[in-house]
Amino acid sequence: MSPFLAFFRMWRVWFIQGNQDIRLRYKRSILGPFWISASLASLIIGLAFLYSEIFQQDVRSYAVFLAGGLIAWNFINATIAEGATMVIDYASDMRGARMPLSVLAGRVAYRNMTILGHNMVVGIATVYLCGFTLTPRFFLIIPGLIVLWVFAMAAGIALAPICARYRDLPEIVRNFLQLMFFLTPIFWLPSQAGRRTLFVEGNPFNALIDLVRAPLINSDYSNGFVTTLSITMAVTIALAIFSYLSTRRKLYNWL
Amino acid sequence: MVHIHADNINYSYPIFDKRRSIKVSVMKTMVGGNIRQKNGKTVVQAVRDVSFDLAPGDRFGLLGHNGSGKTTMLRLLAGLILPDTGKLDVQGRIVSLITRGTGINEDLTGADNIELPLRILGATDAEVARAKVEIPEFIQLGDFMQLPVRTYSEGMKARLTFGICTFLRGDIILLDEWLSTGDKDFIAKANARMDEIVSETGIMVIATHSTGLVRNVCNKVALMEGGEIKMIGTPDEVLAVYEDPYA
């Protein structure tokens, strides 16, 4: 059974596991999954208040920009970091049953898509509270989220086997993500990059963030969006296929 | 058509550990597979040149010392690992009970733990719906089904696991030792359930040390040693060799 088919045939498995993950994480808490929303809201309020002043920006348009960026970044950051360790984390499942990588990746992507849904409530609330409205452009978020889902699964499948073999790699992945958080226009504006346009136009993370942010805050995609996104997706999917084909015989011994 | 064809299959796994001296001493003992060098890496050849054919009705016993390759053989049949060389053709719905309890989450209630393990084993919607009614009846944990599994005693956990993993019927069942659990009353029920599975399954493959089990349940037995099938035959033929210390 190819992993591509397994994702569809075993959808119940990643669906149930993803729901269990969310349920168990917030078990015995009063707000439950709305802690996700609450923590994003506090981050937006805190950062928008100070950084709009530092960057000399209008606090309301800065707040929505920040909301869109953080919602997308939280998803990208979590799916890459958790995708990288999914084979290590779910090794006991893989030892006992046929658990294709695409099912593990589906669990990580689905779980984080649920979190994104909770965050989107805060995002939309921010848009309206700051005096803006959603426009028909918002519907572009649907293809955007599908692309993000595919990216998340491809990144997980690309990284997880090699991270299971060399256990230092998850640490490197986390460091890399932290660096990219600062090098990507999330809390600073694309226009502030000045001559360093590479960090905006050629930045794969900026293109991925635009998938969510541009429809939410009714802005245009960055220059070079289509090219950067296409290259990012093609490379990530190619790496995932390569990773799967080159490790599937050995993976069991790395668990 | 349900069948298993194994044709000259080999499987070896690498050793990442560097302490050679322990391996050398392991090599001298009776148990274990063949430890060899492959491309400068130390590997254990867990299954070597194994061939057999199984058809519906076969109750195939894998007999042998610890480390003789029985469990590796089951993992190959379950599709958890792929043979390095050789052909392995398995047709039919496989229910693998090699590792039990996959998918059970101790923070969830017994009732909430029924669906996922069955879905992992490949259950359909209809089977899951039936399981949610029949498993609680079978394992008789009463109101404990509504409590988190971590509050269970070991015996209760074993009942739950047994009830879940013996629920599904397949064309091929893979067993690592006979499953039985619980107190006196439950053991009788568990054994009845196992007999039922054996009679309702096309092909059964069981790895075991129990000569009594082989005699009672199996019609075909392979004696494994160092990853190889030393002989294959009826229980009487193979047990005559296995039980003879001078053979």
Side-chain angles (χ1 to χ4, degrees), chain B residues 125-202:
Chain B
D125 290 351
E127 283 171 325
V128 169
R130 205 157 49 78
K132 284 181 175 171
V133 179
E134 289 180 16
I135 289 176
E137 277 171 19
F138 179 73
I139 59 179
Q140 288 177 329
L141 293 181
D143 292 341
F144 271 93
M145 286 307 281
Q146 309 308 326
L147 292 182
V149 172
R150 65 188 152 68
T151 63
Y152 290 15
S153 71
E154 288 306 313
M156 290 163 72
K157 278 181 205 167
R159 275 193 190 208
L160 177 72
T161 311
F162 180 89
I164 291 169
C165 78
T166 58
F167 179 79
L168 284 187
R169 297 290 178 274
D171 302 315
I172 297 167
I173 190 163
L174 306 173
L175 278 171
D176 202 350
E177 286 296 346
W178 191 250
L179 305 184
S180 184
T181 188
D183 47 31
K184 209 175 80 190
D185 297 337
F186 195 74
I187 284 180
K189 275 179 87 170
N191 283 330
R193 165 69 64 99
M194 291 302 289
D195 290 338
E196 204 179 293
I197 289 181
V198 172
S199 63
E200 288 173 11
T201 303

Side-chain angles (χ1 to χ4, degrees), chain A residues 141-227:
Chain A
I141 208 161
I142 294 166
L145 292 180
I146 294 171
V147 175
L148 267 188
W149 181 300
V150 174
F151 170 80
M153 287 188 56
I157 293 171
L159 287 169
I162 194 75
C163 285
R165 172 67 184 86
Y166 299 102
R167 301 286 166 114
D168 327 75
L169 286 178
E171 206 54 55
I172 295 173
V173 169
R174 276 192 289 273
N175 282 324
F176 172 74
L177 286 168
Q178 194 168 38
L179 180 64
M180 289 316 293
F181 176 70
F182 291 107
L183 297 187
T184 304
I186 298 168
F187 64 92
W188 51 270
L189 298 159
S191 58
Q192 292 173 314
R195 286 176 300 136
R196 306 276 186 261
T197 51
L198 181 71
F199 290 92
V200 178
E201 293 169 19
N203 186 337
F205 292 98
N206 184 51
L208 292 166
I209 286 171
D210 261 351
L211 288 168
V212 170
R213 185 171 58 196
L216 180 70
I217 70 172
N218 189 26
S219 73
D220 291 324
Y221 294 109
S222 308
N223 290 335
F225 166 74
V226 175
T227 316

Side-chain angles (χ1 to χ4, degrees), chain A residues 10 12-13 16-17 20 23-24 27-28 92-99 165 248-249 252-254, chain B residues 11 13-14 16 75 78-83 99 102-103 105 107-108 112 115-116 119-120 125 150:
Chain A
M10 296 177 70
R12 294 272 191 177
V13 172
I16 297 171
Q17 287 175 327
Q20 284 185 356
R23 224 170 100 193
L24 292 172
K27 217 181 142 203
R28 288 192 257 174
S92 64
D93 288 354
M94 296 182 80
R95 263 187 225 111
R98 280 179 88 161
M99 195 62 89
R165 172 67 184 86
R248 65 192 176 125
R249 284 181 175 277
Y252 197 87
N253 296 317
W254 296 343
Chain B
Y11 185 80
Y13 55 89
F16 297 113
R75 282 184 191 147
L80 296 178
I81 50 178
L82 302 167
T99 313
T102 302
N105 190 323
D107 284 318
L108 298 173
D112 283 342
E115 180 164 1
L116 182 59
R119 292 285 187 190
I120 291 174
D125 290 351
R150 65 188 152 68

Side-chain angles (χ1 to χ4, degrees), chain B:
Chain B
M1 181 53 187
V2 176
H3 67 244
I4 298 177
H5 297 309
D7 186 17
N8 270 307
I9 55 176
N10 283 281
Y11 185 80
S12 52
Y13 55 89
I15 305 282
F16 297 113
D17 186 61
K18 294 277 187 290
R19 287 166 300 162
R20 293 283 307 279
S21 59
I22 291 175
K23 282 173 213 155
V24 173
S25 60
V26 168
M27 220 180 331
K28 287 174 185 155
T29 61
M30 264 281 290
V31 298
N34 278 294
I35 297 166
R36 308 185 299 137
Q37 299 285 316
K38 196 167 93 179
N39 306 330
K41 277 184 225 156
T42 306
V43 297
V44 174
Q45 177 119 30
V47 167
R48 181 202 287 260
D49 296 330
V50 165
S51 303
F52 56 83
D53 285 309
L54 300 176
D58 276 341
R59 309 279 171 256
F60 188 48
L62 294 168
L63 206 58
H65 294 289
N66 292 329
S68 60
K70 302 187 299 290
T71 303
T72 305
M73 197 58 240
L74 288 177
R75 282 184 191 147
L76 284 161
L77 293 174
L80 296 178
I81 50 178
L82 302 167
D84 296 333
T85 59
K87 264 189 70 182
L88 180 62
D89 179 22
V90 182
Q91 289 295 328
R93 185 193 200 190
I94 306 166
V95 174
S96 162
L97 305 184
I98 310 170
T99 313
R100 293 168 296 278
T102 302
I104 291 183
N105 190 323
E106 299 219 342
D107 284 318
L108 298 173
T109 67
D112 283 342
N113 263 306
I114 290 175
E115 180 164 1
L116 182 59
L118 292 175
R119 292 285 187 190
I120 291 174
L121 287 170
T124 62
D125 290 351
E127 283 171 325
V128 169
R130 205 157 49 78
K132 284 181 175 171
V133 179
E134 289 180 16
I135 289 176
E137 277 171 19
F138 179 73
I139 59 179
Q140 288 177 329
L141 293 181
D143 292 341
F144 271 93
M145 286 307 281
Q146 309 308 326
L147 292 182
V149 172
R150 65 188 152 68
T151 63
Y152 290 15
S153 71
E154 288 306 313
M156 290 163 72
K157 278 181 205 167
R159 275 193 190 208
L160 177 72
T161 311
F162 180 89
I164 291 169
C165 78
T166 58
F167 179 79
L168 284 187
R169 297 290 178 274
D171 302 315
I172 297 167
I173 190 163
L174 306 173
L175 278 171
D176 202 350
E177 286 296 346
W178 191 250
L179 305 184
S180 184
T181 188
D183 47 31
K184 209 175 80 190
D185 297 337
F186 195 74
I187 284 180
K189 275 179 87 170
N191 283 330
R193 165 69 64 99
M194 291 302 289
D195 290 338
E196 204 179 293
I197 289 181
V198 172
S199 63
E200 288 173 11
T201 303
I203 300 175
M204 180 185 81
V205 181
I206 182 166
T208 184
H209 298 284
S210 160
T211 54
L213 181 69
V214 164
R215 226 184 281 277
N216 289 335
V217 179
C218 299
N219 65 339
K220 210 173 195 178
V221 186
L223 179 57
M224 294 194 73
E225 206 177 283
E228 287 176 292
I229 291 188
K230 209 178 153 199
M231 73 176 293
I232 196 163
T234 65
D236 287 339
E237 290 164 3
V238 174
L239 288 176
V241 176
Y242 184 69
E243 288 173 331
D244 181 359
Y246 302 106

